[in-house]
Amino acid sequence: MKNNSSGKKINNIWGGRFSSSTDEIMQEFNSSIQFDKILYLDDIDGSLAHSEMLCKQEIISKKDFDLITSGLKQIRAEISNDQFSFSLKFEDIHMNIENRLVAIIGDPGKKLHTARSRNDQVATDIKLWLRRNIDEIDLNLCELQGSLIEKAEANYDLLMPGYTHLQVAQPITFGHHLLAYVEMLGRDRGRLADCRKRLNELPLGSAALAGTSYPIDRYFVAKKLKFEKPTDNSMDAVSDRDFAVEFMSASSLIAIHLSRLAEELVIWSSDRFSFIKLPESFTTGSSIMPQKRNPDAAELIRAKPGRIFGNLFNLMTVLKGLPMAYGKDMQEDKEPLFDTVKTIKLCLIVMNGMVSKLEPIPVKMLEALQKGFPTATDLADYLVTYLAIPFRDAHHFTGKIVLLAESKNCSLEKLTLDDIRTIVPNADQNILNVLKIENSVSQRTSYGGTAPKNVLKAVKKAKLKFLGNKNEI
Ligand code: ARG
């Protein structure tokens, strides 16, 4: 800060044309340093590449470039070691770093901002930051897929009820059920990869909005920062936040998938189902009811889409109707984006912890199966195929057989041939095999079906496709 002629403190980054200082509340309202400081690594990487290019193009001297480089590296160490004092009066991470640079190396520090603006700088920083985080999230997704695949392999023939409308429908294997989530997460990874690809163009060098008259080399900077190429239109480059919206949309689907799995964990671990035991490390006790083990982690994951969708809508609403090019509105992109990244990462790590340590309880799964008459469809199919009964009639007879089992308070498997013949007089001994749950499952060999041998094949394929485990096939 320096004083103007009337002795008032003026911002020395942009205060040249100002004769009075900003209101204190304006400083707080206007600044983003409280949250954008997490961009420091990317901001410094961007500045290092930019200054190297300025030097190569002889826009700044080698001596100034060396000073700038060592100053920036010192600042990076200071921030990493918690020895940097961030200040609201320098508004954001870009100006906090630049101010410190000038404090360390003097006037050469003031040359760093040649041929750039905070508008292209901030767009570059967010892209660099998000690209790193997309790579980390992809790894988290891959790890969760790995745990699901491992559990599926261990339980490739474990029988459980498959549900529709949350009513017992047909027998399936636990392995098959878990692999359904591996597919969902695979699509999530595809969406992130797609978003990363479109994001990977460098905005730096677009300057405020119109480009610059300095002889810069944007391809050089793009290469240094591992971008595919520089952006093609300077106005679009500084005002584009599509990549953040795309990422947050992809994250919304991840959140949906995780919340579905979380809900299943809640159901499966409930007293009524007891299909699984959740690891103690991811459940909590009740302060009043000593018998309780609550699935808090799963419940929180079930709730997180509220935040994740909210963040997406937040940013879309900010961007809607914004005239070209940069508007301060865009500073509002950060908090929702940062929150989404943090939340998704946490959810994936916690879900991975639960999945890798959960224990299925086979007898409970079987008990539920036996109660639910899950082989009724097999029975109807048998009547059609082997007794040439039209499907509608077969459906009707099967209904009657189910009613009979219900009245005898037993499963379909426990009915005798005589019982069945009271409804289908020409039924033979083979019908009893059809009613067996394991036979029902092993018959489901159509591509993508639940038969245990299919599940084993699907496990191998998933390892190869998602985990790059080539020696598994
Ligand atoms: N803190 C600002 C943001 O996050 C940096 C860009 C400021 N640009 C400007 N023209 N005021 O958007």
Side-chain angles (χ1 to χ4, degrees):
M1 295 273 152
K2 58 183 175 221
N3 293 347
N4 71 350
S5 47
S6 60
K8 289 217 172 109
K9 301 265 183 223
I10 304 293
N11 185 305
N12 56 12
I13 293 276
W14 44 253
R17 76 178 294 286
F18 282 72
S19 53
S20 61
S21 63
T22 41
D23 196 297
E24 218 173 286
I25 194 72
M26 174 56 182
Q27 217 172 64
E28 193 182 329
F29 191 55
N30 198 38
S31 60
S32 53
I33 188 63
Q34 309 89 313
F35 42 86
D36 70 11
K37 55 184 167 204
I38 67 170
L39 296 173
Y40 79 96
L41 286 174
D42 311 287
D43 192 75
I44 290 172
D45 282 349
S47 290
L48 287 169
H50 179 69
S51 56
E52 190 176 342
M53 181 276 293
L54 292 178
C55 173
K56 180 181 87 72
Q57 299 297 100
E58 296 176 0
I59 299 168
I60 61 170
S61 69
K62 173 81 170 67
K63 194 163 155 248
D64 287 346
F65 164 59
D66 289 340
L67 281 169
I68 289 172
T69 305
S70 71
L72 287 172
K73 288 184 177 165
Q74 179 182 330
I75 293 169
R76 181 161 62 195
E78 285 174 3
I79 301 179
S80 301
N81 299 328
D82 250 343
Q83 285 159 352
F84 190 95
S85 84
F86 292 104
S87 166
L88 269 191
K89 74 179 182 244
F90 300 129
E91 218 176 294
D92 54 28
I93 186 62
H94 326 294
M95 298 214 288
N96 268 269
I97 289 179
E98 196 181 319
N99 254 276
R100 178 73 188 130
L101 184 66
V102 175
I104 299 171
I105 66 168
D107 278 354
K110 295 179 183 165
K111 297 183 181 171
L112 171 62
H113 211 53
T114 314
R116 77 175 185 191
S117 141
R118 273 188 296 156
N119 298 350
D120 55 344
Q121 189 181 358
V122 71
T124 304
D125 289 7
I126 311 171
K127 281 188 166 185
L128 285 171
W129 181 87
L130 185 57
R131 197 178 64 184
R132 271 196 295 130
N133 280 285
I134 286 177
D135 293 345
E136 285 175 26
I137 292 171
D138 183 65
L139 203 67
N140 295 144
L141 282 162
C142 178
E143 277 166 9
L144 178 54
Q145 283 182 309
S147 299
L148 287 161
I149 292 170
E150 201 175 300
K151 273 277 141 154
E153 189 169 27
N155 296 286
Y156 76 101
D157 59 353
L158 174 56
L159 299 174
M160 72 178 289
Y163 293 85
T164 60
H165 314 272
L166 204 54
Q167 310 276 333
V168 173
Q170 291 180 346
I172 54 160
T173 58
F174 191 47
H176 193 58
H177 197 135
L178 295 177
L179 288 182
Y181 285 96
V182 173
E183 292 298 313
M184 295 181 219
L185 300 178
R187 292 194 293 274
D188 289 331
R189 292 179 67 190
R191 269 181 288 271
L192 285 184
D194 190 42
C195 162
R196 188 193 196 283
K197 201 163 154 227
R198 234 183 326 274
L199 163 157
N200 212 20
E201 294 187 358
L202 170 78
L204 205 60
S206 303
L209 77 164
T212 175
S213 55
Y214 290 99
I216 60 173
D217 181 352
R218 295 189 64 209
Y219 283 91
F220 175 85
V221 181
K223 199 164 170 214
K224 276 262 134 190
L225 295 174
K226 299 195 170 69
F227 284 101
E228 197 59 38
K229 63 186 257 310
T231 49
D232 287 329
N233 181 296
S234 59
M235 294 183 72
D236 175 48
V238 292
S239 59
D240 169 33
R241 296 293 181 271
D242 293 1
F243 58 91
V245 173
E246 281 188 39
F247 168 78
M248 287 157 96
S249 313
S251 297
S252 297
L253 267 163
I254 299 175
I256 290 174
H257 295 153
L258 292 181
S259 76
R260 294 184 67 184
L261 180 53
E263 170 65 354
E264 305 223 75
L265 297 185
V266 171
I267 293 175
W268 292 343
S269 64
S270 67
D271 285 345
R272 282 298 173 93
F273 278 74
S274 293
F275 284 2
I276 58 164
K277 188 167 173 283
L278 284 176
E280 273 182 13
S281 45
F282 287 98
T283 50
T284 59
S286 154
S287 53
I288 176 164
M289 297 163 284
Q291 83 284 13
K292 298 267 277 195
R293 239 157 56 86
N294 298 327
D296 286 25
E299 288 171 322
L300 281 169
I301 293 175
R302 189 173 61 183
K304 295 292 182 187
R307 285 169 90 114
I308 307 277
F309 301 170
N311 290 338
L312 170 65
F313 274 82
N314 178 342
L315 183 59
M316 289 201 298
T317 313
V318 167
L319 297 177
K320 182 210 155 289
L322 271 190
M324 294 278 259
Y326 177 86
K328 186 75 171 189
D329 316 52
M330 286 179 178
Q331 180 164 289
E332 289 287 312
D333 60 356
K334 292 177 195 58
E335 284 165 291
L337 177 65
F338 296 166
D339 185 66
T340 292
V341 165
K342 188 172 150 207
T343 307
I344 283 290
K345 276 185 179 171
L346 267 172
C347 288
L348 285 167
I349 293 168
V350 170
M351 184 56 95
N352 191 18
M354 278 193 290
V355 168
S356 56
K357 293 197 207 93
L358 68 79
E359 290 166 31
I361 307 175
V363 340
K364 293 288 183 186
M365 292 181 174
L366 203 61
E367 243 172 64
L369 259 174
Q370 278 155 350
K371 277 188 204 139
F373 310 115
T375 52
T377 314
D378 302 78
L379 178 55
D381 289 344
Y382 173 85
L383 299 181
V384 170
T385 312
Y386 294 98
L387 301 183
I389 298 175
F391 183 76
R392 272 292 144 235
D393 295 338
H395 186 281
H396 178 75
F397 290 137
T398 305
K400 284 192 165 278
I401 295 172
V402 167
L403 210 60
L404 179 68
E406 209 167 36
S407 69
K408 297 185 118 203
N409 204 12
C410 71
S411 66
L412 287 176
E413 269 182 286
K414 295 272 150 57
L415 291 175
T416 64
L417 189 56
D418 286 342
D419 289 336
I420 295 170
R421 281 188 172 152
T422 61
I423 293 156
V424 184
N426 55 343
D428 59 30
Q429 195 67 30
N430 287 333
I431 203 164
L432 299 179
N433 285 334
V434 170
L435 298 177
K436 289 208 175 83
I437 290 166
E438 24 332 334
N439 291 346
S440 162
V441 166
S442 62
Q443 297 300 309
R444 298 282 183 276
T445 52
S446 58
Y447 184 76
T450 192
K453 69 175 187 196
N454 280 30
V455 175
L456 276 183
K457 271 194 215 151
V459 160
K460 282 195 173 155
K461 204 169 154 196
K463 281 186 184 172
L464 188 64
K465 183 169 169 196
F466 298 120
L467 313 180
N469 220 338
K470 297 201 169 44
N471 51 3
E472 276 293 335
I473 224 162

